[in-house]
Amino acid sequence: MATTADSPRRDAAHVIRYVARPAAQQDEGLWGTFKTVGRVVLVIGATFSSLAVGVVLKLFVFPVDQVIGRTWMDRYVVGAWADGVVGGPVFPRGCRLKLSGELPRPDHRAGLLIANHQLDTDWFYLWDMLRVVGAHGALKIVLLDDMRSVPIVGWCMRLVGFIFVSRHRKRARQQDDVAEIERAVAEVAEARRPSVVLLFPEGTTANEEAKRKAEAYAKRMRRPAHELLLVPRCGGFVAAIRGFVSRGVLVEDVLVYDSTMAYAGYGGEVPAWDMGFERSDDVQLPNVAKLFKGDHGDHVRLHTVAYRASEVFADGAYATPLEALRSHEAERIAAAWLDARWAEKDAMMVHYAEHGDFPGAGDVVEVLKPAEYLPFGLLTAGWLAAAAAATLALLVATLLAMPALFVAALLGTLVVACVLPFVACAACALGPLALGALAIKHWHDAQPSRGRGGAFADAGDDDDDVPVFGGPGKSGATSDGAAQDTPVVI
């Protein structure tokens, strides 16, 4: 059963009220292009700084103490990046968060955050929600394997423990996604640090192609389809909870935070696949491209309800929720629970599309934390210092190489100015002698050949008169005129 706003489960003690600033407008024109490029550079630079800090921690702190290493990784890499980028001055702080229900607890060891997946910016605002309670450093996101190989950004995600699934894509790693999620969550839980794993059970953002496949899957598996949402998959959900339990976390201590998201201006449009992240009706909804252009939209609506995993796997066929979780029917039990939650979400989204808010959500708190300048300044100073150091090293190397370059240039000038003319003059002087020698050689080769001289032949002897040794000779005449035969050697 869904938890209502009047239930004692609702806990807004961590919510802090801030004064919201006007929503930002999208930057346009040449100046807007420069600002967009600048935001991209700043985000990549901040990510590079976080990557450098993470590498240092992995090399020098983790081998000594993994608990301290994980603590510092969450605080000074994941948390600092979220403060500097998600909550920093990079993006205009114009978008308000309208929160209701319960919020994740920052000191809890095992948390699983699930939400409907509307846009490619969902993770950004969910991360911003976690900043309200101070749990943003504990976040681990389950995302597609395509991001794994992205330079700097993907490397940093792998370093801090984000979880990658292939979902059987052609260019992804061949792996069992369910087993990979369980292994990765178990590794996160092994550090005994507070953690929140963000998982989108729908697997992808809502669009016509994905919705058609989801409805076919629902019909095949005899599960309910939804008007605006996709059918949630349960394999990764079960694997994440099993990963926590495998490292000693009790089933009742695993908290499942079920968050329903909607954006200002949402009218229920399910975009076509070929539209990408653009929409024809709900044009006010943001995306990553608009985010870098400075357009957040007006606000993001989030309603969150917390459950214990023991509630999810409370099944009459098993004595305890732990037995149900470890059984071969765990996915069936989880599917029934997720179907009930998604039916509630779908009804809430339909109501939001018609009325602009969720029904019966209780108290709503508007939150807009001011920009975090210190983390942003430190992250920016990190990559700027690295760039300055590289530039200085290049300049020093150039200055040190200048004497060698000067000597090489001087030698080159001497070769061109002296050696080359000398070689040319020598060629001009020796040229006639070489031609004369060549002419004499041709004349000598053209003269008639001389015979063999000495006592063995006269100057007038013809080669044909020389007897052939070993063959029949020619008939000749002696001085007395008598013919003699050439002797045959046997």
Side-chain angles (χ1 to χ4, degrees), residues 125-147:
Y125 299 106
L126 287 168
W127 212 341
D128 207 12
M129 179 187 71
L130 293 177
R131 290 180 61 247
V132 174
V133 297
H136 51 301
L139 181 65
K140 302 293 182 287
I141 304 177
V142 180
L143 66 165
L144 289 179
D145 196 80
D146 297 350
M147 293 296 299

Side-chain angles (χ1 to χ4, degrees), residues 38-345:
R39 290 188 183 103
V40 174
V41 172
L42 289 175
V43 170
I44 294 177
T47 308
F48 174 80
S49 297
S50 299
L51 177 64
V53 175
V55 169
V56 172
L57 293 178
K58 277 287 187 180
L59 292 178
F60 300 104
V61 180
F62 273 77
V64 178
D65 194 317
Q66 290 195 3
V67 175
I68 296 178
R70 176 57 60 190
T71 301
W72 289 3
M73 185 75 77
D74 291 347
R75 182 180 303 169
Y76 300 120
V77 179
V78 182
W81 190 92
D83 280 330
V85 176
V86 178
V90 181
F91 301 109
R93 308 303 301 157
C95 187
R96 298 166 292 166
L97 296 179
K98 290 187 175 182
L99 307 178
S100 60
E102 300 160 278
L103 291 178
R105 299 182 179 275
D107 57 346
H108 198 75
R109 180 181 173 188
L112 179 61
L113 176 60
I114 59 174
N116 56 307
H117 204 1
Q118 273 192 284
L119 305 173
D120 60 338
T121 53
D122 291 345
W123 62 271
F124 184 90
Y125 299 106
L126 287 168
W127 212 341
D128 207 12
M129 179 187 71
L130 293 177
R131 290 180 61 247
V132 174
V133 297
H136 51 301
L139 181 65
K140 302 293 182 287
I141 304 177
V142 180
L143 66 165
L144 289 179
D145 196 80
D146 297 350
M147 293 296 299
R148 181 184 180 89
S149 56
V150 176
I152 299 179
V153 177
W155 304 338
C156 192
M157 289 178 176
R158 293 165 59 182
L159 188 67
V160 301
F162 282 14
I163 304 166
F164 297 89
V165 294
S166 64
R167 223 175 55 190
H168 310 295
R169 297 169 72 92
K170 292 182 180 180
R171 293 189 294 178
R173 295 174 300 157
Q174 297 298 320
Q175 65 177 17
D176 184 345
D177 289 342
V178 173
E180 176 65 16
I181 292 176
E182 183 173 348
R183 182 204 64 78
V185 173
E187 184 177 340
V188 170
E190 193 171 10
R192 299 182 179 275
R193 285 281 305 158
S195 57
V196 179
V197 176
L198 173 58
L199 173 69
F200 294 104
E202 291 170 297
T204 186
T205 55
N207 58 73
E208 288 182 358
E209 179 68 13
K211 198 168 187 307
R212 182 187 62 80
K213 293 181 179 180
E215 290 174 352
Y217 169 78
K219 183 177 181 180
R220 185 171 66 254
M221 302 301 295
R222 296 182 180 180
R223 295 178 59 187
H226 308 290
E227 183 178 350
L228 298 178
L229 304 180
L230 307 179
V231 179
R233 306 300 175 98
C234 52
F237 177 82
V238 174
I241 298 176
R242 282 176 174 172
F244 282 121
V245 173
S246 68
R247 291 300 180 269
V249 181
L250 300 177
V251 181
E252 53 268 21
D253 287 341
V254 180
L255 295 183
V256 180
Y257 302 107
D258 178 23
S259 186
T260 304
M261 296 185 64
Y263 293 82
Y266 176 69
E269 178 185 12
V270 179
W273 173 259
D274 56 2
M275 294 173 64
F277 295 112
E278 297 295 336
R279 295 168 182 259
S280 58
D281 296 330
D282 297 345
V283 295
Q284 299 180 27
L285 272 60
N287 55 42
V288 170
K290 290 182 179 179
L291 204 63
F292 279 100
K293 293 178 181 178
D295 183 11
H296 278 275
D298 183 69
H299 68 268
V300 179
R301 185 71 173 86
L302 289 160
H303 179 73
T304 307
V305 180
Y307 300 87
R308 296 188 182 275
S310 55
E311 299 178 61
V312 178
F313 293 96
D315 188 89
Y318 296 91
T320 63
L322 182 60
E323 290 185 10
L325 175 64
R326 290 175 173 174
S327 70
H328 64 280
E329 292 190 319
E331 291 192 10
R332 176 191 63 79
I333 299 171
W337 186 85
L338 286 172
D339 287 340
R341 302 289 80 74
W342 250 249
E344 297 168 0
K345 285 179 182 291

